Amino acid sequence: MQTDHSTHGVDRSKISVMLMKLFDHWGLNSTQMLGLLGYSPTNRGLLSDYRSGKPLANDRDKLERAGILLGIHKTLRLLFPHNRQLAYTWMTQTNRAFGGLSPVTVAEKYGIMGLHQVRSYLDVQRGR
C-alpha cells in the first residue's frame, strides 16, 4: 500500500526539506527551528527526520506555519533581490518595528500569531 504524503498537491516531504534548507540559510539553531515549527525544543530528532525527507506533519498548524515561513522567505527575496545576504539575515536581526526583537524572536514568543505579525509587516513593506 502506498502512502500519500501530499496535501493540496504539495509534497509534505519536499516542504520539510525546503524548510530545513531555509532555516540553514537563516542561520537558526535547533531551538529556533523547532519553535518556528511549533514543537518543543526537546524534539531535536525531528529536525534530522525532516532533513532526510520525513513528511511534515499533516496537521493544520504545521502546514500553516510552513506556508507562512515560505511566504516570508519569498517576500524577503522580493524585497532584497540584489542582496541575498540581507534576505537571509533579516529574520535574526533586531528590528525597531518589533520593539527591538528579531523577527525570529517575535515568532518564537508569540507562536503562530508572531509569524503572522512578521509576514504582515513584510507584506506592508512590499507595498500591498
Side-chain angles (χ1 to χ4, degrees), residues 9-120:
V10 179
D11 185 334
R12 291 183 291 113
S13 295
K14 289 181 182 173
I15 293 172
S16 60
V17 171
M18 285 184 346
L19 286 171
M20 293 300 101
K21 287 180 183 175
L22 175 60
F23 291 162
D24 289 342
H25 284 306
W26 285 352
L28 304 184
N29 63 41
S30 59
T31 301
Q32 292 169 318
M33 292 177 197
L34 289 163
L36 292 180
L37 293 172
Y39 289 108
S40 163
T42 61
N43 208 348
R44 293 174 192 256
L46 187 61
L47 297 175
S48 296
D49 291 345
Y50 283 166
R51 283 187 194 286
S52 65
K54 178 180 178 178
L56 189 68
N58 191 18
D59 84 34
R60 184 177 177 174
D61 177 72
K62 302 308 180 240
L63 295 172
E64 183 176 358
R65 286 171 182 270
I68 295 168
L69 289 162
L70 294 171
I72 287 170
H73 172 63
K74 179 180 178 182
T75 303
L76 287 169
R77 293 290 301 269
L78 292 170
L79 284 170
F80 308 114
H82 305 294
N83 191 339
R84 188 168 288 190
Q85 183 64 30
L86 181 56
Y88 289 152
T89 60
W90 188 87
M91 285 293 288
T92 57
Q93 303 301 311
T94 59
N95 191 317
R96 283 180 290 172
F98 302 118
L101 299 175
S102 71
V104 166
T105 303
V106 170
E108 285 180 300
K109 186 173 182 178
Y110 300 108
I112 192 103
M113 295 312 297
L115 283 171
H116 279 293
Q117 184 180 354
V118 172
R119 176 75 193 267
S120 295

